[in-house]
Amino acid sequence: MTDCDFGKTDRKGVVPLSFPQNFLDELTACSDIVDVVGNYVQLTRRGTNLFGLCPFHSEKTGSFSVSPDKQIYYCFGCKKGGGVINFIMEEENLSFPDAVRFLAKRANMEVPEEEGDREAGRRRQRLLDLNRDAARFYHQMLQQPEGRAVQDYLDRRQIKKATAVNFGLGASLDRWDALITAMTHKGYTKAELLSAGLAVQNKNGGIYDKFRNRLMFPVIDVRGDVVAFGGRVLDKSEPKYMNSSETPVYSKRRELYALNLAKKSKRPNIILCEGNIDVVTLHQAGFDNAVASMGTALTQEQTRLLSRYTKELVLCYDNDNAGKIATERALQILNNSEFAVRVLQLPNRRMDDGTMAKQDADDFIKNFGSGAFERLLSGSENGIEFRLAQTAGKYDLTDDQQRLGYAEEVSALLAGLESPVERDIYTVRAAEAAKLTPEAMRLEVQRAFKRRLSKEKRARERRELNPTVELQPKVRAMHYTNVRSAMAEEGVLRLLLLDDSLFPAEPPLREDEFSSPLLGKVFSLLWQQKEQGSAPRLTSLAGELSGEEMSHMTNLCQKPESVANGRQALTDYITVIRGEAEKRAGAGLVDPLLAVTEKFKDQKKSNGGKQHG
């Protein structure tokens, strides 16, 4: 087998969940964040920091910042941030211990293992081993007489044996316990089969194979591990496709079928399809850049993964209504991204009786050949052209009233284009389609563009008029109950990170004096570093904080703080924190800023009631 030798990885041993602090300090010192991030993002120096396009959300203007001095990253667009370990956790979809091991391998460092912390890593590796052995079993069954029905199906679909080997295709037998029996003989437990999503438990507590009498597609991630499976029926029954459920080693939002193969393609783009069979057929026909999502619409996580391998995407979904909806959703996600996006629309096929039939990529290749598909691929439309055509298709452009409706809808679409040149080019095309003058259509687009700017301005003003909104953490679960105290608490943490010599020998505050549990927890953790003789560093808390918590703390560090009058600032912050803590313990008064906001809301409701009474 080629790429599908089912997860021959170099993962020897397991990874502990906790590590000595001196090891983590050495690891982060050897893993300069500019070098690590530079392998994923093209960075350009701007002042003391470096900037690039954020790998975590779609954007055309770089708002992703890397600070060599602080060894942190932060995106001013999506608000994600942290240190080098957080970056690898997010970008490679790894747990904290796996990210540590990833960086340790990069730095040629040996990972210290602690017996009591090995279990989680061992369980994860067992699931990957189980998936690999299950994939091998399914593949072997395809060669056996018991798998003849699946092989006959592949023959009908004109899928060659070499292609089946390349993708590691297999056969699940028409039996309730074929896989369970084979895997338990290899030493895997029923609990592991359930955890991997390969078995299902019935009401009586017994288990049976999830996949039965299906063509099996192992899903192999870009690191070469088998993480999941897709299974297709051999007839017209439903569900046509059955995919693995979410497991500790598989998230459907983060994986794309056949990307392990497509990432090696010499073609300049990647083709996104709907079905696994479409992908297999396209690869067999020479289009080895095709991938498919596993039972889900295109996600932001998948676009981040794709951005490592290409800057151009071709959407080639089925030409039925579901395919058109999927295309529109994908275009919305990719709007204003760094990707060049094109849409390949498959034509309907005329049947012998004169009717027109829908077709997918697999149908088209079989009916018209790879050369015809290549011509379609070369002439595929860009995203805005597709959306213009879809909008025009909703209206009878020979009817004056419908032309007005078309002009209104298409103007709103064109107003969303950031480039004025692009807006003008497609405004002229839209005018031609509706037989309107370019000047009239330009006026409509300008009005729609002004409405959009006005709407954005009103939303911005609402945020600015409500101070608690701008000052609050992005995640609701971390919202401050006392904004005045929390602002002072943030100031204390910034000073501690900037210059811990400003602080006395003993901690000037208790954790329970903080109004924000998160800020209090971080203060205690940083103080522990100080007591152990290390300079307090936010990046050392990657294993203690969630990704959302680390992003919030990194955002907090972006706010200005001067150490020039640091001692006085610290005294003022502590005074505010203790004063607010005393109020909470005593009269239980609420945060003044929140009180003013609530009063404003009550007045607004009251006035609204009078107007509608």
Side-chain angles (χ1 to χ4, degrees):
M1 296 182 195
T2 57
D3 239 78
C4 292
D5 201 3
F6 303 123
K8 281 190 174 179
T9 67
D10 59 354
R11 299 185 186 202
K12 300 172 183 176
V14 288
V15 185
L17 290 175
S18 59
F19 307 93
Q21 188 60 51
N22 60 348
F23 164 74
L24 290 176
D25 290 344
E26 184 181 354
L27 177 66
T28 52
C30 292
S31 306
D32 181 75
I33 196 165
V34 175
D35 292 340
V36 173
V37 173
N39 290 324
Y40 301 86
V41 180
Q42 186 173 347
L43 297 171
T44 304
R45 183 168 291 279
R46 202 185 305 163
T48 57
N49 290 349
L50 295 98
F51 284 81
L53 294 174
C54 179
F56 307 133
H57 81 288
S58 297
E59 62 174 4
K60 285 186 176 178
T61 304
S63 57
F64 181 82
S65 166
V66 177
S67 169
D69 296 339
K70 298 176 183 176
Q71 286 293 297
I72 60 174
Y73 70 90
Y74 185 72
C75 176
F76 293 92
C78 68
K79 312 298 183 189
K80 287 188 177 180
V84 67
I85 297 176
N86 296 99
F87 181 84
I88 292 299
M89 288 170 67
E90 187 74 28
E91 181 65 16
E92 293 287 346
N93 186 27
L94 296 175
S95 64
F96 172 72
D98 284 340
V100 168
R101 191 168 196 270
F102 181 100
L103 288 170
K105 180 181 177 182
R106 179 183 180 274
N108 293 317
M109 290 176 61
E110 186 175 346
V111 179
E113 299 190 14
E114 297 175 5
E115 192 65 36
D117 293 327
R118 295 182 177 183
E119 189 56 28
R122 188 193 72 82
R123 285 197 299 268
R124 176 182 171 83
Q125 190 58 50
R126 284 283 291 178
L127 292 185
L128 292 172
D129 292 343
L130 171 55
N131 282 340
R132 178 199 61 212
D133 287 339
R136 286 174 174 165
F137 171 78
Y138 289 137
H139 189 70
Q140 288 164 3
M141 289 303 99
L142 186 60
Q143 326 301 321
Q144 303 302 317
E146 301 98 309
R148 189 66 231 175
V150 177
Q151 183 58 58
D152 289 343
Y153 176 80
L154 289 176
D155 292 341
R156 290 196 302 275
R157 300 300 295 257
Q158 301 173 34
I159 294 172
K160 299 174 183 175
K161 288 194 176 181
T163 304
V165 169
N166 192 39
F167 280 88
L169 302 183
S172 58
L173 303 186
D174 193 10
R175 285 172 23 204
W176 291 95
D177 62 351
L179 181 72
I180 291 171
T181 301
M183 294 301 103
T184 51
H185 283 165
K186 280 185 168 289
Y188 296 105
T189 67
K190 291 180 179 180
E192 287 172 330
L193 283 157
L194 289 168
S195 183
L198 291 167
V200 179
Q201 193 164 36
N202 62 27
K203 294 177 181 178
N204 300 321
I207 68 170
Y208 57 90
D209 286 358
K210 174 172 181 172
F211 299 101
R212 303 179 307 282
N213 198 32
R214 287 176 179 265
L215 167 62
M216 297 300 296
F217 303 84
V219 181
I220 302 172
D221 69 12
V222 291
R223 290 186 292 275
D225 287 319
V226 181
V227 294
F229 293 89
R232 195 198 190 285
V233 294
L234 308 179
D235 51 27
K236 300 286 186 181
S237 59
E238 295 291 337
K240 182 192 293 186
Y241 279 101
M242 180 183 288
N243 297 313
S244 289
S245 53
E246 302 269 317
T247 73
V249 298
Y250 172 62
S251 168
K252 66 182 180 181
R253 295 182 60 82
R254 294 175 177 268
E255 300 294 344
L256 287 159
Y257 178 67
L259 185 58
N260 62 307
L261 299 172
K263 70 176 186 176
K264 302 173 184 176
S265 176
K266 296 293 190 283
R267 286 180 173 267
N269 47 39
I270 284 181
I271 304 171
L272 281 167
C273 304
E274 279 192 58
N276 296 5
I277 284 283
D278 291 335
V279 171
V280 172
T281 299
L282 283 171
H283 276 250
Q284 183 173 274
F287 303 94
D288 61 351
N289 54 335
V291 302
S293 52
M294 297 290 293
T296 180
L298 183 68
T299 66
Q300 288 285 4
E301 291 90 342
Q302 289 165 346
T303 63
R304 282 164 38 197
L305 187 58
L306 288 164
S307 68
R308 296 187 205 169
Y309 307 108
T310 189
K311 293 303 176 190
E312 181 178 319
L313 297 176
V314 180
L315 306 181
C316 182
Y317 295 139
D318 297 353
N319 66 351
D320 55 12
N321 286 334
K324 290 174 182 176
I325 291 170
T327 301
E328 180 60 33
R329 285 177 179 168
L331 288 172
Q332 289 173 5
I333 286 178
L334 296 166
N335 189 38
N336 293 324
S337 72
E338 74 273 29
F339 290 104
V341 183
R342 292 192 284 133
V343 180
L344 191 159
Q345 291 194 80
L346 295 164
N348 291 334
R349 182 164 67 97
R350 184 176 295 279
M351 307 299 287
D352 293 339
D353 61 3
T355 60
M356 302 301 288
K358 306 290 185 185
Q359 59 183 339
D360 55 24
D362 175 64
D363 296 326
F364 186 88
I365 291 284
K366 288 182 174 58
N367 292 323
F368 303 104
S370 58
F373 188 86
E374 187 76 70
R375 289 190 290 276
L376 274 183
L377 183 61
S378 300
S380 53
E381 305 169 307
N382 66 33
I384 187 62
E385 288 171 336
F386 170 83
R387 297 176 83 177
L388 285 174
Q390 293 298 304
T391 304
K394 298 178 187 178
Y395 297 91
D396 176 5
L397 296 182
T398 63
D399 179 272
D400 287 345
Q401 281 300 115
Q402 295 217 31
R403 288 163 75 203
L404 289 172
Y406 166 78
E408 184 178 351
E409 183 173 346
V410 85
S411 295
L413 172 63
L414 295 172
L417 297 175
E418 295 297 330
S419 165
V421 174
E422 197 175 15
R423 271 201 311 275
D424 193 62
I425 288 171
Y426 292 111
T427 294
V428 173
R429 291 195 190 176
E432 290 171 353
K435 293 185 171 56
L436 298 170
T437 65
E439 291 73 17
M441 185 61 80
R442 283 193 185 99
L443 284 174
E444 282 295 309
V445 173
Q446 286 169 8
R447 289 192 193 101
F449 187 69
K450 287 177 181 176
R451 285 196 296 270
R452 176 193 147 199
L453 294 181
S454 178
K455 184 178 178 181
E456 291 173 354
K457 182 181 178 183
R458 287 196 302 272
R460 187 169 59 252
E461 287 174 344
R462 280 197 299 271
R463 290 195 302 270
E464 291 170 353
L465 287 171
N466 187 348
T468 60
V469 172
E470 285 298 294
L471 299 174
Q472 288 286 9
K474 184 181 178 184
V475 180
R476 184 169 294 278
M478 293 187 288
H479 272 202
Y480 296 148
T481 56
N482 186 321
V483 176
R484 184 167 187 265
S485 180
M487 293 301 99
E489 293 160 23
E490 287 187 358
V492 168
L493 292 176
R494 277 193 296 272
L495 288 174
L496 183 57
L497 289 165
L498 285 169
D499 185 1
D500 65 312
S501 69
L502 295 171
F503 289 72
E506 297 296 321
L509 290 163
R510 301 187 313 273
E511 185 173 336
D512 61 5
E513 290 180 298
F514 283 69
S515 65
S516 163
L518 170 61
L519 301 183
K521 170 186 169 183
V522 172
F523 178 78
S524 294
L525 290 170
L526 293 175
W527 197 269
Q528 286 173 22
Q529 292 180 17
K530 179 176 167 63
E531 288 180 328
Q532 292 166 4
S534 301
R537 283 202 300 264
L538 185 61
T539 53
S540 298
L541 305 184
E544 303 284 351
L545 304 179
S546 70
E548 291 172 336
E549 289 172 338
M550 182 61 84
S551 292
H552 176 59
M553 294 307 304
T554 311
N555 179 31
L556 177 158
C557 291
Q558 308 304 311
K559 298 178 182 178
E561 190 74 52
S562 172
V563 295
N565 297 306
R567 293 193 187 281
Q568 184 58 52
L570 179 60
T571 300
D572 293 341
Y573 288 145
I574 291 172
T575 299
V576 170
I577 294 167
R578 284 184 174 155
E580 294 301 313
E582 288 170 6
K583 289 179 185 178
R584 291 196 304 276
L589 296 178
V590 297
D591 178 11
L593 278 174
L594 282 176
V596 169
T597 303
E598 292 302 319
K599 184 178 179 181
F600 173 75
K601 287 180 180 177
D602 290 341
Q603 288 176 346
K604 193 172 180 182
K605 285 180 183 176
S606 176
N607 292 336
K610 289 175 184 177
Q611 289 171 0
H612 293 92

